Amino acid sequence: EKELGRYAGIYYSDGDSSDALVAVDLEGNYGVISIRDGKINNIIEFKYDYIGKLYEQDNFMLVDNGQYYVYYVTTKTKVGPFNNQIASYSDQYIVTNEGSYLKNTETNYRLYDITGKKLLIDSGYKYIEIIDGYSNKYFIAIDKNNNLNILDKDGKNILKNPIKDVTGTYHIRCCASLLAYSYNINGSTM
């Protein structure tokens, strides 16, 4: 029954709550707000060119002057900057890539830990996916020759012989059924 604030936009996606809503102020700057007991509180200040969430994520991707960051909600920490767009992230790792998701020109995937330390950057990976595995983190990586390998947390190949000639769709942001590969984890077996 009362106006709490004025914004150019409020973005809500399935699963969001009034505890963390992406908003755009009247000057076009993105921020994140919470609404509780009839009051608005700023969670992330209104200074970003873009703020969004990646598929099935609770944390936020921030863009400021062409630089990319990940904001972790539970720890209230911002990791970055990264020169390339954020492809995916977890509680321990961040994957970036060159190109554009919208134009389907993604290439040169890179892997970082959440301190921003570079783990895999210069190998021309066509795709890297973070996998929650048995007591450790693993990554599915497709190299520049369309070979698929599973990497451990140190970036070392686990498979002695990679799976060759994996071609097709790699990213998983919306439609896992269209992927060029699939996997299943059962205990300590992938």
Side-chain angles (χ1 to χ4, degrees):
E1 297 179 1
K2 68 177 182 175
E3 182 178 287
L4 300 178
R6 289 186 179 224
Y7 299 92
I10 304 277
Y11 295 94
Y12 173 85
S13 58
D14 190 36
D16 285 348
S17 71
S18 60
D19 291 334
L21 295 169
V22 175
V24 181
D25 67 14
L26 298 176
E27 286 82 43
N29 300 306
Y30 282 71
V32 176
I33 61 171
S34 71
I35 305 170
R36 289 191 184 184
D37 300 324
K39 293 183 182 175
I40 294 177
N41 295 306
N42 289 349
I43 307 273
I44 298 175
E45 62 186 309
F46 285 86
K47 71 171 203 168
Y48 294 96
D49 302 325
Y50 177 78
I51 295 178
K53 289 183 179 180
L54 295 180
Y55 183 64
E56 295 185 342
Q57 290 282 346
D58 293 328
N59 301 306
F60 294 97
M61 179 182 65
L62 315 174
V63 182
D64 185 23
N65 291 318
Q67 299 291 298
Y68 295 82
Y69 303 83
V70 175
Y71 180 85
Y72 289 94
V73 174
T74 55
T75 60
K76 297 180 174 60
T77 56
K78 181 172 82 169
V79 179
F82 299 100
N83 293 326
N84 298 304
Q85 69 180 353
I86 308 287
S88 64
Y89 47 84
S90 70
D91 60 342
Q92 295 181 21
Y93 300 98
I94 298 167
V95 175
T96 69
N97 64 275
E98 296 175 10
S100 166
Y101 176 70
L102 294 175
K103 296 177 182 175
N104 200 26
T105 59
E106 296 170 299
T107 186
N108 291 326
Y109 280 74
R110 296 173 174 100
L111 177 68
Y112 301 85
D113 69 14
I114 61 165
T115 68
K117 178 184 172 191
K118 300 171 185 176
L119 300 176
L120 294 172
I121 58 165
D122 294 323
S123 298
Y125 287 101
K126 288 186 172 184
Y127 184 69
I128 297 175
E129 179 180 344
I130 302 167
I131 303 296
D132 290 325
Y134 177 74
S135 76
N136 284 305
K137 296 287 183 176
Y138 296 96
F139 312 96
I140 290 178
I142 299 174
D143 67 20
K144 61 186 172 190
N145 298 316
N146 294 322
N147 298 320
L148 183 147
N149 211 321
I150 300 170
L151 309 178
D152 67 13
K153 63 183 179 177
D154 298 317
K156 305 287 186 215
N157 291 339
I158 291 177
L159 301 177
K160 289 181 184 176
N161 299 308
I163 299 168
K164 299 196 178 290
D165 300 319
V166 177
T167 58
T169 301
Y170 305 134
H171 21 85
I172 60 165
R173 294 195 196 144
C174 70
C175 307
S177 64
L178 300 177
L179 283 175
Y181 63 89
S182 64
Y183 64 90
N184 187 14
I185 298 174
N186 185 4
S188 63
T189 303
M190 179 183 290

